[in-house]
Amino acid sequence: MFVPTDMGIIVTILALIGKLTISFAFNTIYIVTAESHPTVIRNSAVAISQTFSRIAAVLAPNIQLLGELYWSPLPYIIYGGFSLLSAILFAFFVPETKNRKLPDTIQEFIHNH
């Protein structure tokens, strides 16, 4: 680990910060997906996003096993890498919806993007 094991309070604080950011990202899926898709497919888009997030939630505990089997920092590198990748993709590819009318049809969606 990158933090010494005898500094338990720091490990706890970092774990809680990680849990906070994961919860934030998980809840952001609903808002961003609902605002960025047209009304006619909004429910399906939210359901697909939720499905992928649930699959990731099922796989996440198994990534811990990689650290036990191969190299202890490996799970942190995987989690951090995916977090960094998703933050970069979010920053560059998710359109701003503030003060904009949400699309009602697929044609409006295509025209606005």
Side-chain angles (χ1 to χ4, degrees), residues 18-38:
K19 176 62 177 155
L20 172 76
T21 57
I22 289 168
S23 297
F24 176 76
F26 191 79
N27 290 325
T28 303
I29 290 171
Y30 297 104
I31 297 168
V32 171
T33 305
E35 286 188 355
S36 63
H37 289 83

Side-chain angles (χ1 to χ4, degrees), residues 20-21 37 39 56 59 71 74 80 87 95 101 107:
L20 172 76
T21 57
H37 289 83
T39 304
L59 294 177
W71 186 45
L74 186 60
K101 181 182 176 295
Q107 287 76 23

Side-chain angles (χ1 to χ4, degrees), residues 1 8 11 14 19 25-26 28 31 37 45 52 80 82 90 104 111 113:
M1 282 178 62
V11 172
L14 291 174
K19 176 62 177 155
F26 191 79
T28 303
I31 297 168
H37 289 83
F52 281 109
F82 276 116
F90 184 85
D104 288 325
H111 180 67
H113 290 79

